Amino acid sequence: MTPKEKAEKAVELLEAEYPDAVCSLIYTDALQLLIATRLAAQCTDKRVNMVTPELFARFPDAKSFAQADVTEIEELIKTCGLYKTKARDIKAMCVMLCDEYGAVVPDTIEQLTKLPGIGRKTANLVVGDIYGKPAVVVDTHCIRITSRLGFHQIKDAAKIERILRPLLPPEKSNDFCHRLVLHGRAVCTARSPQCDNCCMKEICDYEKNRQ
């Protein structure tokens, strides 16, 4: 089985196991997803979803965030951890959105990664979920599971994205990454993967080595 054939099989197996591929962050527009994803760094999506309703009620758009006192943003996101850095980035990205993009979240990875605090993972998520473009969101679940499957043995997210992008069907790559998150939480966990219950065990190098 070639790497591309294995990737297509993984897509098929995960589609069957997790028909609903959705982002676990709650948002209503591109800016909210951008900010929620920034808050989710080293923090659970569940915690972020507890914080964002009040945050977005207080600051409903890029202009209000850009004009905000950063200490007020800090206070609203304090429980997300690293809140001073995150608050500074959120304000700075919204200033840049207002100054350079007419307060509209751009639709390319190249433009998004110019925003303060925004890396390729967040940019891919926004491009895929908001603008419907092919995207490969390389988070901790993606790194771990694609390594176990045998696509790579590295930790560098940018390199992993370059490896996976040509292997995955473009129209399915974004949902594939969402399903990896669901699978990583439920079955292919970091410390004790439940290989016997895994829908992908037939194509998994980790399972073969375990046997």
Side-chain angles (χ1 to χ4, degrees), residues 30-31 61-64 66 92-107 111 115 131:
L31 180 66
D61 52 33
K63 184 177 180 181
S64 58
M93 77 169 71
C94 287
V95 168
M96 187 172 178
L97 284 172
C98 291
D99 290 348
E100 299 190 23
Y101 299 108
V104 176
V105 175
D107 64 352
Q111 290 173 310
L115 297 171
Y131 296 111

Side-chain angles (χ1 to χ4, degrees), residues 176-190:
F176 173 75
C177 294
H178 284 319
R179 291 185 172 104
L180 287 180
V181 173
L182 298 175
H183 192 62
R185 289 173 177 165
V187 179
C188 194
T189 57

Side-chain angles (χ1 to χ4, degrees), residues 48-96:
V48 173
N49 289 338
M50 293 168 65
V51 166
T52 49
E54 185 178 358
L55 179 68
F56 296 146
R58 176 66 184 87
F59 304 110
D61 52 33
K63 184 177 180 181
S64 58
F65 272 112
Q67 294 174 343
D69 186 328
V70 74
T71 58
E72 188 175 0
I73 300 175
E74 288 176 0
E75 192 61 34
L76 289 167
I77 67 170
K78 186 172 283 187
T79 58
C80 287
L82 303 175
Y83 67 95
K84 287 186 178 292
T85 300
K86 291 176 181 179
R88 183 188 66 217
D89 285 347
I90 289 168
K91 180 177 171 68
M93 77 169 71
C94 287
V95 168
M96 187 172 178

